[in-house]
Amino acid sequence: MAEETWVAKKRAPKWVKIVAIVLAAIFFLLVLLVGAAAIVWRNEIATVSNFVKVADRNDAHQDGAVYRMDVAGDFYFDDFLAQGGASSDAELIDFITNSITRGLIDMTIQQSEIACSAFTAVTPEGDRIFARNYDFAKTNTALVFTDPGNGRYKSFSTVDLQFLGMDQNSDVEGLLNKITCLAAPYAPLDGVNEMGLSCGIFMSYQGNETVATDQQSEKPDITSTTMMRALLDTCATVEEAVAFVEGYDMHDSAQTSFHYMVADATGASAIFEWTNGTDLTDNDGSTRTLKVIYNDNDAHIGTREGAASYQWITNFILQPGYYAGDDEKPGVDRYDHIYEQLSATDGVVENEQAAMDILASVGRRSWNNDDSNGITVHSVVYNLTKKTVLWVANEHYGEAAYTFEFAL
């Protein structure tokens, strides 16, 4: 009896051993899968891990929250350009989804009507300044830092997370939302790179019903914010930026129209516009052609502009004869006010804070708005000489909790 019991006990471990082998195999496969995912998505995992809130929302003041995102890796932008870019938001979304999440999670990029102001200036020491207000509605914002390598420049840019599908009335929480924000490098609104090149995007309200530019030629394609990303990643000067833009068909996003300003550390700046005819006849986005307005060759758009070495921009097309009168120009009141501020000192601002003061003077919470964009979401002053950033959220000028300074 004792011997039989001993035999039974001796045989039992065979089944345990089989189960242990199966469990070990499953565990090994899981380790392989996790390891493979960690390798394939190592940059995305690092980026999501670095997504942090740096300023709280304040619904009473119509403030969204502010986040910082340090992007690891090259975010596949070389691949995007190599495939010929994208001719629509849908094509861009497909590329981002397939590249970043390998098709597992849908991404999104949206755009809407925005109203903004910007200008260039110089300090008494000769530092070149690019200053910009982003006017829209309450939204969450990301401060995006990229360093893609492979010959592309590192940069800082600002992204409205509402355009990535984030709810403007709540914080960005949960893993899925943070993964969706991995599309942020493809949607900059303004920025500066390590070479001192800066750029910004501005609504231009063209045509009878705000017709989007949609050029159709044999050139590769680019959309509004991906053009901005390309300039930040690949261009060191205004001349290089012009050459890049001339090589692409422009496709504005979300059936809206935009113009752009770019500036560099040499003091050069330019405004990019795509037009065909006047505001009454400019209703076919496919027939528009690029017009480049340089800061040292812009007398054709006005006496004030021709006499100034600096440039400024709001939300109307600057091409001569485009409008029947000033009352048809969106944002002309802010345009005139910025000129008055700059012309008083011949385009010289004492320092970055003085430039920020000019932006504050046209902040939309206190400005007599001529459109529905009643909030300045952020104000930023880029020093293109020192490659520094002074950034203020939601018109909280002079408040430390909402003021950020960075150096590239």
Side-chain angles (χ1 to χ4, degrees):
M1 187 69 175
E3 184 177 348
E4 289 178 359
T5 303
W6 180 84
V7 171
K9 288 182 178 179
K10 182 154 178 83
R11 289 174 179 172
K14 291 183 179 180
W15 298 102
V16 174
K17 188 174 182 180
I18 292 171
V19 173
I21 291 172
V22 172
L23 290 175
I26 293 173
F27 177 76
F28 181 70
L29 288 174
L30 287 174
V31 170
L32 285 179
L33 289 173
V34 171
I39 293 172
V40 171
W41 284 293
R42 62 190 183 280
N43 290 327
E44 289 79 6
I45 292 170
T47 302
V48 169
S49 299
N50 290 328
F51 187 88
V52 296
K53 184 163 67 171
V54 294
D56 290 327
R57 64 190 309 101
N58 178 356
D59 293 325
H61 194 248
Q62 293 293 291
D63 300 355
V66 181
Y67 298 85
R68 173 169 176 156
M69 173 183 280
D70 291 85
V71 180
D74 64 3
F75 52 90
Y76 314 102
F77 197 72
D78 284 336
D79 296 337
F80 173 76
L81 294 178
Q83 74 163 20
S87 62
S88 67
D89 290 344
E91 287 185 11
L92 174 59
I93 292 167
D94 284 345
F95 174 83
I96 294 172
T97 298
N98 292 330
S99 298
I100 294 178
T101 71
R102 308 304 192 273
L104 298 177
I105 300 173
D106 288 336
M107 310 292 277
T108 182
I109 286 185
Q110 308 168 26
Q111 291 204 349
S112 185
E113 295 186 1
I114 57 179
C116 311
S117 307
F119 61 87
T120 62
V122 63
T123 70
E125 294 76 26
D127 289 359
R128 300 297 176 172
I129 299 294
F130 181 97
R132 187 266 172 86
N133 272 352
Y134 171 59
D135 303 332
F136 190 32
K138 182 175 70 172
T139 186
N140 296 308
T141 304
L143 311 177
V144 178
F145 295 81
T146 62
D147 188 2
N150 298 322
R152 286 159 53 196
Y153 301 124
K154 65 180 178 181
S155 70
F156 165 90
S157 61
T158 313
V159 176
D160 183 341
L161 294 178
Q162 188 172 176
F163 296 157
L164 305 185
M166 298 299 102
D167 183 359
Q168 68 270 33
N169 293 311
S170 61
D171 285 356
V172 179
E173 298 177 331
L175 181 59
L176 184 59
N177 280 337
K178 292 179 181 179
I179 290 174
T180 301
C181 289
L182 289 170
Y186 287 81
L189 298 168
D190 53 67
V192 65
N193 68 21
E194 62 181 302
M195 303 304 292
L197 182 105
S198 188
C199 52
I201 181 172
F202 312 90
M203 189 75 182
S204 55
Y205 297 97
Q206 294 171 241
N208 286 341
E209 296 182 359
T210 311
V211 178
T213 297
D214 187 27
Q215 291 182 301
Q216 303 290 333
S217 77
E218 299 303 314
K219 296 177 182 179
D221 301 301
I222 205 82
T223 60
S224 300
T225 58
T226 56
M227 183 195 77
M228 302 272 290
R229 170 50 57 197
L231 299 185
L232 292 172
D233 277 19
T234 67
C235 298
T237 65
V238 168
E239 183 179 3
E240 290 179 6
V242 172
F244 178 90
V245 173
E246 288 177 337
Y248 282 82
D249 279 345
M250 170 55 67
H251 305 276
D252 284 337
S253 298
Q255 296 306 304
T256 54
S257 59
F258 302 94
H259 56 175
Y260 309 79
M261 179 185 280
V262 60
D264 66 31
T266 72
S269 65
I271 293 169
F272 301 149
E273 297 185 334
W274 284 260
T275 61
N276 178 41
T278 69
D279 197 37
L280 293 177
T281 61
D282 191 12
N283 296 304
D284 183 351
S286 67
T287 62
R288 291 176 181 162
T289 57
L290 172 65
K291 314 296 193 304
V292 181
I293 307 169
Y294 294 95
N295 65 311
D296 59 355
N297 186 22
D298 55 1
H300 64 291
I301 67 170
T303 303
R304 296 182 302 181
E305 292 80 0
S309 59
Y310 49 90
Q311 286 189 305
W312 64 108
I313 188 172
T314 55
N315 300 113
F316 61 90
I317 289 295
L318 294 168
Q319 300 305 310
Y322 194 78
Y323 304 96
D326 283 355
D327 59 335
E328 298 180 5
K329 298 178 179 179
V332 69
D333 51 349
R334 287 175 283 120
Y335 187 85
D336 290 342
H337 180 83
I338 291 170
Y339 170 72
E340 291 170 1
Q341 298 291 302
L342 291 172
S343 62
T345 58
D346 197 24
V348 177
V349 293
E350 187 64 29
N351 48 36
E352 291 88 343
Q353 184 56 54
M356 185 65 72
D357 291 343
I358 295 176
L359 294 177
S361 71
V362 288
R364 304 305 294 282
R365 285 172 173 82
S366 57
W367 189 260
N368 183 20
N369 295 310
D370 56 2
D371 55 46
S372 61
N373 298 293
I375 292 172
T376 295
V377 177
H378 77 266
S379 303
V380 60
V381 176
Y382 297 115
N383 186 314
L384 310 185
T385 304
K386 296 177 179 175
K387 289 79 174 178
T388 60
V389 180
L390 174 62
W391 196 97
V392 175
N394 292 295
E395 301 178 62
H396 289 285
Y397 304 109
E399 299 181 41
Y402 299 92
T403 301
F404 302 90
E405 297 186 55
F406 309 107
L408 291 177

